[in-house]
Amino acid sequence: MTGMHLVQSRRRPITRGTTGLSEAVVDLSAVRDNVRSFRQRVPQQLMAVVKADAFGHGAVPVARAAVEAGASWLGVAHAAEALELRAAGLRVPILTWLYDAAELMLLGDVDVSVSTVAELQRVASTPSVHQVHLKLDTGLHRAGSTPDQWIELTRTAAHYEALGAVTVRGIWSHLSHGSARDAVQSRRQLEILRAGVRLARQAGLRPSVVHLVNSAGAITLDAPDTDLIRIGAGLYGIDELGIGLRPAMRLQSKLAQVRRIRAGEGVSYNHDFIASHDTTIALIPLGYADGIPRIGPHQTVPLAPPVRASVLCRGVRMPVIGRIAMDQFVVDADAVAVEPGDPVTIFGDGSAGEPSAQDWADWAGTIPHDIYCGIGHRVPRRYEEGRR
Ligand SMILES: *Cc1c(COP(=O)(O)O)cnc(C)c1O
């Protein structure tokens, strides 16, 4: 599997301002393999978290692939994301955790998270009988019921359930720490959740799914009395714990222009890069509007190689030089003869020597989640079934 064949495959119609030069290729077989990888390690059911358009990979195709590979739930942040999945015909249970009163009216067959009595009353007063997941804050201190309001929340929920106004299908929480080093915090959160489930049972609730862990937690925290793991990052091959996941997205483009500049000439805004010798430079038609992070000059001029951003073209890493602009950036193409139209890989799974999204995240001082989510609408997504 090389980027080069794919770039030459059939052109997509130009829609929504696509450049035609760049595309994000999403290998759905990687998503399936990643789902299977978690399913082999962990006995619980798997919820594929496809919020934020599946971290920029495309919610509907990723959700379908994940379900094919054995995910039995889908999770999203916003109501509109859940509705998109239902409209596309996905029938597995979906949980959403952010919605407003108007959206709630449309969410009849989507499970909703509830953190407060006021929210519960709003959900109970709609015409449809919603499936709710009561959320307990076990330490993240974001959404969720505070422990001191939990008894009231569970009792109120049991009351509404007895009236037939809601069904409490789940009880859940979210971990604050990801790595194995932080297992003590995760275990503490699990203990708090367990206590919360006991209180809910005392209130008369019989939730069928208790869930706590995300991708990292699924690997680092043994939580046999939970029923569901919520996997986001891991689906896309963000391999926080080195368990052999496969990155699903490859960002590729074509050189838009190739030219020579003379020693002493500067490149891009403010001339942060000045050529020390006559240099061939090449233009990549992607910029920060497309999600290329606007990394600082110290990461683009030839200083310490490990922090220098680069792309792969004709099998060679070409350093980014000068500022990344809104629509384009420039690379030093001196190492090998190149022509306009040559395929270039911005990031991929690294198997051909290209940088990874993790590398770009390191250069930009962020996380790969942010790199993937940032890939903009101008970049068309194309789906393929890769080979291993
Ligand atoms: C994003 C999110 C997840 C997925 O977490 P990953 O670390 O990406 O696996 C799970 N649960 C909730 C509540 C989330 O917001």
Coordinates of all heavy atoms in Angstrom, one line a residue, residues 5 67 75 88-89 107 121 125 142 164 173 186 197 200 236 258 307 313 318-320 324 326:
H5 N -0.1 5.2 -5.6 CA -1.2 4.7 -6.4 C -2.5 5.4 -6.1 O -3.2 5.7 -7.0 CB -1.6 3.2 -6.0 CG -0.4 2.3 -6.0 ND1 -0.2 1.4 -5.1 CD2 0.6 2.2 -6.9 CE1 0.9 0.7 -5.3 NE2 1.4 1.2 -6.5
V67 N -19.2 -0.8 13.8 CA -20.3 -1.7 14.1 C -20.0 -3.1 13.4 O -20.2 -4.1 14.0 CB -21.6 -1.1 13.7 CG1 -22.7 -2.2 13.7 CG2 -22.0 0.1 14.6
G75 N -21.2 6.4 20.5 CA -21.3 7.5 21.4 C -20.9 8.8 20.7 O -19.9 8.8 19.9
A88 N -28.4 8.2 8.8 CA -27.7 7.3 7.9 C -28.1 5.9 8.1 O -27.5 5.0 7.4 CB -26.2 7.5 8.2
G89 N -29.0 5.6 9.0 CA -29.5 4.2 9.1 C -28.8 3.3 10.1 O -29.0 2.1 10.2
L107 N -34.8 13.5 19.9 CA -33.9 12.4 20.3 C -34.6 11.2 20.8 O -34.0 10.5 21.7 CB -32.8 12.9 21.3 CG -31.8 13.9 20.8 CD1 -30.9 14.4 22.0 CD2 -30.9 13.2 19.8
Q121 N -35.8 16.2 34.9 CA -37.2 16.7 34.8 C -37.5 17.1 33.4 O -38.6 16.8 32.9 CB -37.4 17.9 35.8 CG -37.6 17.4 37.2 CD -37.5 18.5 38.3 OE1 -36.9 19.5 38.0 NE2 -37.9 18.2 39.5
S125 N -40.3 15.2 31.0 CA -41.5 15.9 30.6 C -41.7 15.9 29.1 O -42.7 16.5 28.6 CB -41.4 17.4 31.1 OG -40.4 18.0 30.5
R142 N -16.2 17.7 35.5 CA -16.7 18.4 34.3 C -18.2 18.2 34.4 O -18.8 18.7 35.3 CB -16.0 17.7 33.1 CG -15.8 18.6 31.9 CD -14.9 18.0 30.9 NE -15.4 16.8 30.3 CZ -14.9 16.1 29.3 NH1 -13.7 16.5 28.8 NH2 -15.4 15.0 28.8
G164 N -43.3 5.7 34.3 CA -43.2 5.4 32.9 C -42.7 6.6 32.1 O -42.9 6.6 30.8
S173 N -19.6 7.3 34.2 CA -18.7 8.4 34.6 C -17.5 8.4 33.6 O -17.5 7.5 32.7 CB -18.2 8.1 36.0 OG -17.5 9.3 36.5
S186 N -7.6 6.3 38.7 CA -8.6 5.6 38.0 C -9.3 4.6 38.9 O -10.5 4.5 38.9 CB -8.0 4.9 36.8 OG -7.5 5.8 35.9
V197 N -23.4 3.1 42.0 CA -24.3 2.1 41.4 C -25.0 1.4 42.6 O -26.3 1.1 42.5 CB -23.5 1.0 40.6 CG1 -24.4 -0.2 40.2 CG2 -22.9 1.7 39.4
A200 N -27.8 3.6 43.6 CA -28.9 3.6 42.6 C -29.7 2.4 42.7 O -31.0 2.4 42.5 CB -28.2 3.7 41.2
Y236 N -9.1 5.3 16.0 CA -8.4 6.0 15.0 C -6.9 5.6 14.9 O -6.2 6.1 14.1 CB -8.6 7.5 15.1 CG -10.1 7.8 15.4 CD1 -10.6 8.1 16.6 CD2 -11.0 7.6 14.3 CE1 -11.9 8.2 16.9 CE2 -12.4 7.7 14.6 CZ -12.8 8.0 15.8 OH -14.2 8.2 16.0
V258 N 7.2 24.0 -8.0 CA 8.6 23.7 -7.6 C 9.4 24.8 -8.2 O 9.2 25.2 -9.4 CB 9.1 22.3 -8.2 CG1 10.5 22.1 -7.8 CG2 8.2 21.2 -7.6
V307 N 13.1 18.1 16.1 CA 12.0 19.0 16.2 C 11.6 19.7 14.8 O 10.7 20.5 14.8 CB 12.1 20.1 17.2 CG1 12.3 19.5 18.6 CG2 13.3 21.1 16.9
C313 N 8.2 13.0 0.3 CA 8.0 13.1 -1.1 C 9.1 12.3 -1.8 O 10.2 12.5 -1.4 CB 8.0 14.6 -1.5 SG 7.7 14.8 -3.3
M318 N 11.2 16.0 3.5 CA 11.5 17.4 3.1 C 11.1 18.3 4.2 O 9.9 18.4 4.6 CB 10.7 17.7 1.8 CG 11.2 16.8 0.7 SD 10.5 17.3 -0.9 CE 11.4 16.2 -1.9
P319 N 12.0 19.1 4.8 CA 11.7 20.0 5.9 C 10.8 21.1 5.5 O 10.9 21.7 4.4 CB 13.1 20.5 6.4 CG 14.1 19.8 5.6 CD 13.5 19.1 4.4
V320 N 9.9 21.4 6.4 CA 9.0 22.6 6.3 C 9.9 23.8 6.5 O 10.7 23.9 7.5 CB 7.9 22.6 7.3 CG1 7.0 23.8 7.2 CG2 7.0 21.3 7.1
I324 N 3.8 28.6 8.1 CA 2.7 27.9 7.5 C 1.6 29.0 7.3 O 1.2 29.6 8.3 CB 2.3 26.7 8.3 CG1 3.3 25.6 8.1 CG2 0.9 26.2 8.0 CD1 3.2 24.4 8.9
M326 N -2.3 30.3 5.6 CA -3.7 29.8 5.7 C -3.9 28.6 4.7 O -4.6 27.7 5.0 CB -4.7 30.9 5.4 CG -6.1 30.5 5.6 SD -7.3 31.8 5.2 CE -7.0 32.9 6.6

